[in-house]
Amino acid sequence: MNAPTAASTPAIELVGIDKRFGPVHANKNINLSVAKGSIHGIIGENGAGKSTLMSILYGFYHADSGQILVDGKEIRITDSQTAIQAGIGMVHQHFMLVENFSVLENVMLGVEGGPLLKRGVAAVRAELGRIEREYGLEVDPDALIEDLPVGKQQRVEILKALYRGAEVLILDEPTGVLTPAEADHLFRMLAQLKAQGKTVILITHKLREIMAITDTVSVMRRGEMVATRKTSETTMAELAELMVGRRVLLRVEKDEAKPGPVILSVENLTVKDARGVTMVDNVSFQVRAGEIVGIAGVAGNGQSELLEAIAGIRKPASGRILLNGEPVERLDPAKLRKKGLAHVPEDRHHMGLVLAFEEYENAILGYQDDPKYLKGPFLDIDAIRKDAVARIEDYDIRPADPRLKTANFSGGNQQKIVLAREIERDPACLLVGQPTRGVDIGAIEFIHKRLVALRDQGKAILLVSVELDEIRSLSDRILVMFAGTIVGEPAPHAGEQEIGLMMAGIGREAAE
Amino acid sequence: MESLFADLIQIFAATVRLSVPLIFTALAGLYAERSGIFDIGLEGKMLFSAFSAASVATVTGSPWLGLFAAILTGVLLSLVHGFASITQRGNQIISGVAINFIASGLTILLGNAWFGQGGRTPQLANSARFTEITLPFAAEIAPIPFLGPLYSGLISGQNILVYLAFLAVPFTWWVLYRTRFGLRVRAVGENPGAVDTAGISVTWLRYRALICCGILAGFAGTYLSVAQSASFIREMSAGKGYIALAALVFAKWKPLNVLLTCLLFGFLDAASIRLQGTIIPGMGEVPVQLIQALPYILTVVLLAGFIGKAIPPKAGGVPYVKER
Ligand SMILES: Nc1ncnc2c1ncn2[C@@H]1O[C@H](COP(=O)(O)OP(=O)(O)O)[C@@H](O)[C@H]1O
Ligand SMILES: [Mg+2]
C-alpha cells in the first residue's frame, strides 16, 4: 500500500510471516501494515489463521519465519513480555483469566511491581479506578472472575491490556460473547481509544461489525492475506466473496413452515447445576413436526442446561418432557436416541466427538449397538467404514478419509461428522446446539441447508444458538431466554434490536 | 484427672511428633500441586532424603550437613520429575510413581553397598542428630498444674525440625498469598495460559515451585532418619508420603488447613499406637487397623463430596502444550 514515510510510519508491520502447526499451514507468507491511530479489521472464516497471526504478534506463538516491525523498528518478539513492552496488548478469543482470582489479581499478574504484593495492590487499585472512569469500564476490583458474566470478564481482559500501557490493542472475536448492546458499548470504547491515538486491531467474522467500525479491513483466507481495503471503499458482498473465494448466500432460503403435530413438549421444566443454582426456571414450550424453534440468548442464560436436560444428559429438578406424548425426562441419552431424539451437542469437542478416534469410529458413536454394525458380539468394521465413506461423500466431509484422526479435521468438517451421524438416523426430533460455532462460512451454508431440508421432511428441530443472525435466519419460531426463563417470543421477522433487548432482559423487572 | 491430663499431653506430644513429616511433605506437595504439577513422588522424595540425611550425618557427624544433603536430594528428584513432566510433557503420575520405585530400590542398594547393614545406616550418635531442645524455664514451670505439663511436656523438648515445621505453615501461607511468586504459582496451577500471556515463563515458574517442593521433602526425610530416629531403615517412610498427599487433598490445598489435617492424621496415628492391645469392655480389642485406615477413608469420603468440596487446581496434571 502506501510507502512508509516518516510521517506515516505504520504502528505495526508484519513482513513475510509464516507459521505451520505440524501439517497445518496456518499462516502463509503474510504481509500486513496497520496505520497508527486506526481501527484495522481482520476478517476471515474460522480457521483462516487470524488468531494465529495475532498470537504471533503478541508473542504467544513463534513464527517460523518473517519480521515484525513496531513503529518502524524491527523487534524480535520472543514471548509476550517483549510484546507487552513494545506496547502491544491482546484480548484473546478464549479469555486468559484465572477464574478463582479477583479482578485485581488478574490485572496485576505479571506486573506486580515488586516481590511483595502489598505495594502493587494499592497501585493497581488506584490506576484501575482511573482507567475505569476514563473508559466507562466499571468492574468491581474485588469480584472473582468466576462470578462475573462473560461481558464483564472481557472488560477485565481489556483492563489488563490498558493497565500494561497498550498502544496497540488486539481484540480477537470480541463480540461473540456479548449482547448487541454490550457490543455497541465496546465499539464506542474502541472509537474513544482511537480518538486518543491508540491503534486497534479487531478480528471478527461478522461483516456488519467490520463495516460499522473499522477504517481499513484485511481479509484472510486459508492462511493467506488475500486483500486489504479501505472500509469506505468496499461492500459486505465483496468482503464475503473475498473471504470464501466465491459468491455466498448470506440468507438461508426456505419456504414457510408447515407445522404438524406436537413432537416435543416441555412442561414447567426446572434444571439446577451442580452447585444447586437454578439454571432453567419453570420453562414450557412445544416443538411441532416440520418447524424449527430457535432459542436465542446470550451464552450462559440456561440454554445449555435446557438442551442437556432434554437430551437426557442432565436430570431435571422438576417438570416434564414429552416426546410424542410420552414422558421421557427420566430416560438416558441412549434410550432417548432409540425413541427418535437425536442431539448435536453444543460442545462437539467434549460431547460430540472423541477427538482421538478415527473418523469412522466417531461416525457411529452412540449407535454402536445397531445390529447393522455388529457381527455377533463384535463390531463389523467393514460395514461401519462403508457407511462412513457414504456419509463422507454425502456431506462433503474433507479430507475424505475415514481413517484420519478426528482431531485433524477442521471445525466445520468435525461438525459435519456429528451432524451426519445424528441426521442420518432419521430422528423424529433433533436438538442442535451452536451448529456453526467455529465453522467456516462454506460449511455454515451447507449445515443450514441440511437443517432446513430436515425440517421440510417433517422433523421437529430445536435450535440453540448464541448467533442471533443464525437464529433469525433459520427459525420458524423464536424463543428468547434470559436468566433461565423464556422472556418472550418475538415475531419471526422481529428486528434485531427488539430481540437484543429481550436477550438483555430488558422489559422485565430484572436487576443485574 | 491429673493423670488423664498427663495421658492427653502424652498423646498430643506423640501427635506432634508424628505430624511433623506429614506437615513438611504436605506443604511440599502444596507447592507442586498449586503450580499444576501432581506429585505422587512425595513418598520417594521423603525416603531418599531420609537416606541421604542419615548417610551424610553418619559420615560427617553433622546433622546440618545431613539436612543439606537431604534437601539436595529432594531438589534433584524434583528436577527429574520436572524434566519428565514439564520439559518432556510426560505423564505426571507415571513420573511420580517411577520416582517412588527408584527411591525404594536405590536406597537399599546404596545403603547395602556403603554400610553393609542390609539397607540400614549405622546408628547415629546424638551429636549427629537433631535432638530435643529444652526451652527456657521448662524445669521451673513443670510443677504448675496444667500449664506445666503443657509447656514442658508438649511445647518444650522438641527438636528444631518440629519448630521449623510449625513455622513452615504460616511461612508458606505468606509466600502463597502475599508474594509475587505465590500469586504466580497459584495462577499457573489454574490457568497457565493466563501466566504465559502475562509475559511470565510457565516452565521456569513450575520448576521453581518444584524446587520449593524438593526442599520441604528434604526436611521431611531428615526428620525421619536424623531427628525422630537415629538411622535410616529401609522403607522407613512407610506410606507417609501418600498420607501427606491425602492430607493435602483433605486440606483443599490450603496451607493453614494442611496444618489441621496433618495434626488430625497424626493424632489418629498416635491414638492407634496408644490403643494397641487395649480391650474395650464388651467390644473386644480396639481395631487398630481401622484407625490407621481412617485418614484414607476420610479422604475418600471427602473426595466423594460429603465434607464440602475439594476442587484441585484446575490445570493440575495437564502438561502445558500450546501447539497441538
Ligand atoms: N495451537 C494450535 N495447534 C495446532 N493447530 C492449530 C493451533 N491453533 C490453530 N491451529 C490451526 O491453525 C489453523 C488456523 O487457526 P486460527 O488461527 O485459530 O484461525 P482463525 O482464528 O482464523 O479462526 C486452523 O486450521 C487450526 O486448526
Ligand atoms: Mg480465531
Side-chain angles (χ1 to χ4, degrees), chain B residues 142-163:
Chain B
I144 304 174
F146 295 112
L147 187 64
L150 198 67
Y151 183 73
S152 33
L154 191 61
I155 297 177
S156 170
Q158 309 284 6
N159 66 66
I160 182 143
L161 296 184
V162 176
Y163 300 114

Side-chain angles (χ1 to χ4, degrees), chain A residues 19 21 58 60 80-81 84 92 96-101 105 109-110 112 114-117 164, chain B residues 174 177-180 183-184 186-187 190-191 193-200 314 320 322-323:
Chain A
K19 174 74 185 171
F21 293 111
Y58 190 64
F60 188 70
S80 297
Q81 188 69 52
I84 292 167
H92 292 262
M96 296 292 187
L97 295 169
V98 182
E99 298 228 314
N100 61 359
F101 271 24
E105 287 175 309
L109 186 66
E112 299 87 348
L116 299 185
L117 294 181
R164 288 163 168 77
Chain B
W174 180 80
Y177 294 101
R178 289 289 180 266
T179 69
R180 173 172 69 191
L183 181 82
R184 292 177 175 190
R186 284 185 289 136
E190 288 291 324
N191 183 358
V195 169
D196 192 5
T197 52
I200 307 160
K314 215 175 277 145
Y320 183 53
K322 280 204 275 192
E323 305 188 10

